[in-house]
């Protein structure tokens, strides 16, 4: 099993997150995907990897977005035969100590979503604006796409490798919040079993959030388009007459 951790300017958080992850799931391997962080995060990742054969580093030339970083990690994992991949933020907001529960749930599912908005889930130190944005985004995506997932934008999740092989067979261009929504809807469309496990999400204490207005607007635009396509497809199925078998004309 591989834990993929994308990074950009996370030098204050990375060593602690990697250490806690190794203690929480000693058998897991970790891949740090650094997008050319100018603050030296990549060098810290290299130092961690040099002393631990369970830690690996992928260096990318520049900041290409969360979605692209995860896709690169997924492909890296599939090329090396990992059976499952976990997404985890580098800022400490996803508690590594909850990783065993996600992995246990994966025994009976294809995709496990760490959820803030199911019973037992929670957020810590989030302002009201962020709560409304997250819950509102999940609600809008749920209604537009006709899915039952309560926390569709969350980034703490686990995928079986066969899910990634199927989903990545087509191009994925979305990023940020939108990437997480896209992966969830594609997994459901492919018929995979998706379950939610309650988690506690803790606001970062070091560094700056990568959330931006552009990421939110991209998510709204893409979800609206996907929702429109979904409704059109539903209507098409209703109005298209089913094909009947031709009568047997042989005497």
């Amino acid at each position: 099993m591989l834990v993929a951790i994308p990074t950009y300017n996370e030098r204050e958080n990375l060593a602690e997150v990697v250490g806690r992850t190794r203690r929480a799931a000693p058998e897991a391997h970790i891949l740090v995907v650094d997008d050319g962080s100018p603050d030296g995060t990549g060098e810290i990742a290299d130092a961690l990897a040099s002393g631990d054969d369970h830690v690996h580093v992928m260096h990318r030339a520049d900041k290409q977005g969360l979605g692209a970083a995860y896709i690169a990690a997924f492909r890296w994992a599939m090329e090396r035969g990992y059976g499952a991949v976990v997404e985890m933020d580098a800022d400490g907001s996803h508690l590594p100590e909850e990783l065993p529960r996600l992995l246990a749930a994966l025994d009976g599912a294809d995709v496990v979503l760490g959820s803030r908005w199911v019973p037992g889930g929670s957020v810590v130190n989030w302002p009201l604006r962020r709560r409304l944005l997250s819950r509102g985004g999940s609600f809008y995506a749920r209604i537009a796409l006709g899915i039952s997932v309560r926390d569709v934008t969350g980034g703490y999740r686990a995928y079986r490798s066969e899910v990634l092989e199927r989903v990545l067979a087509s191009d994925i261009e979305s990023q940020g919040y939108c990437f997480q929504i896209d992966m969830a809807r594609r997994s459901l469309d492919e018929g995979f079993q998706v379950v939610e496990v309650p988690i506690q999400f803790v606001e970062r204490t070091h560094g700056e959030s990568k959330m931006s207005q552009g990421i939110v607007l991209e998510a709204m635009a893409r979800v609206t388009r996907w929702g429109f396509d979904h409704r059109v497809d539903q209507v098409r199925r209703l109005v298209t007459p089913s094909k009947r078998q031709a009568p047997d004309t042989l005497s």
Side-chain angles (χ1 to χ4, degrees):
M1 187 270 295
L2 181 74
V3 179
I5 305 179
T7 58
Y8 185 78
N9 287 351
E10 295 289 356
R11 63 172 295 124
E12 295 176 293
N13 300 306
L14 182 61
E16 180 182 354
V17 168
V18 169
R20 288 168 59 191
T21 303
R22 290 287 288 118
R23 291 190 292 274
E27 75 287 354
H29 283 229
I30 297 171
L31 175 65
V32 178
V33 183
D34 186 63
D35 275 6
S37 298
D39 72 342
T41 298
E43 287 77 5
I44 292 174
D46 286 336
L48 294 170
S50 67
D52 188 340
D53 62 4
H54 278 53
V55 179
H56 315 274
V57 185
M58 177 188 297
H59 293 282
R60 303 201 308 159
D62 51 27
K63 189 177 181 181
Q64 301 172 40
L66 181 69
Y70 273 130
I71 290 172
F74 295 157
R75 297 196 185 285
W76 190 93
M78 289 188 292
E79 289 170 359
R80 289 159 179 80
Y82 287 94
V85 181
V86 174
E87 297 180 1
M88 180 187 291
D89 286 353
D91 59 11
S93 58
H94 296 152
L95 303 181
E97 293 75 20
E98 295 186 317
L99 179 57
R101 289 198 298 111
L102 268 69
L103 296 178
L106 196 62
D107 285 342
D110 301 306
V111 181
V112 176
L113 308 180
S115 179
R116 298 157 291 186
W117 310 127
V118 296
S122 63
V123 295
V124 177
N125 296 330
W126 253 20
L128 179 60
R129 180 183 63 82
R130 287 294 301 275
R131 290 173 181 261
L132 292 175
L133 179 63
S134 178
R135 299 202 73 158
S138 283
F139 176 78
Y140 179 66
R142 189 165 67 248
I143 298 302
L145 303 176
I147 59 179
S148 60
V149 175
R150 306 294 299 181
D151 190 354
V152 72
T153 64
Y156 198 7
R157 47 180 65 180
Y159 296 94
R160 290 188 178 276
S161 59
E162 50 265 38
V163 177
L164 298 176
E165 290 173 0
R166 185 91 60 82
V167 170
L168 296 182
S170 57
D171 292 337
I172 299 178
E173 298 179 355
S174 49
Q175 298 292 330
Y177 266 23
C178 198
F179 173 76
Q180 305 297 6
I181 298 170
D182 200 2
M183 289 293 294
R185 76 176 184 98
R186 287 172 185 253
S187 298
L188 290 166
D189 286 348
E190 291 289 346
F192 290 110
Q193 183 179 6
V194 179
V195 302
E196 293 184 89
V197 171
I199 62 166
Q200 182 181 75
F201 182 96
V202 181
E203 176 68 333
R204 66 163 62 234
T205 56
H206 302 292
E208 297 181 356
S209 172
K210 308 305 187 296
M211 179 59 62
S212 68
Q213 184 179 20
I215 290 175
V216 175
L217 292 176
E218 181 211 10
M220 289 188 65
R222 288 186 184 270
V223 169
T224 300
R225 191 193 73 199
W226 295 333
F228 177 79
D229 292 343
H230 172 67
R231 300 305 176 188
V232 169
D233 186 58
Q234 285 184 318
V235 172
R236 183 181 296 116
R237 292 179 183 178
L238 288 173
V239 301
T240 301
S242 59
K243 294 182 179 179
R244 297 181 178 180
Q245 184 177 357
D248 190 352
T249 59
L250 295 178
S251 57

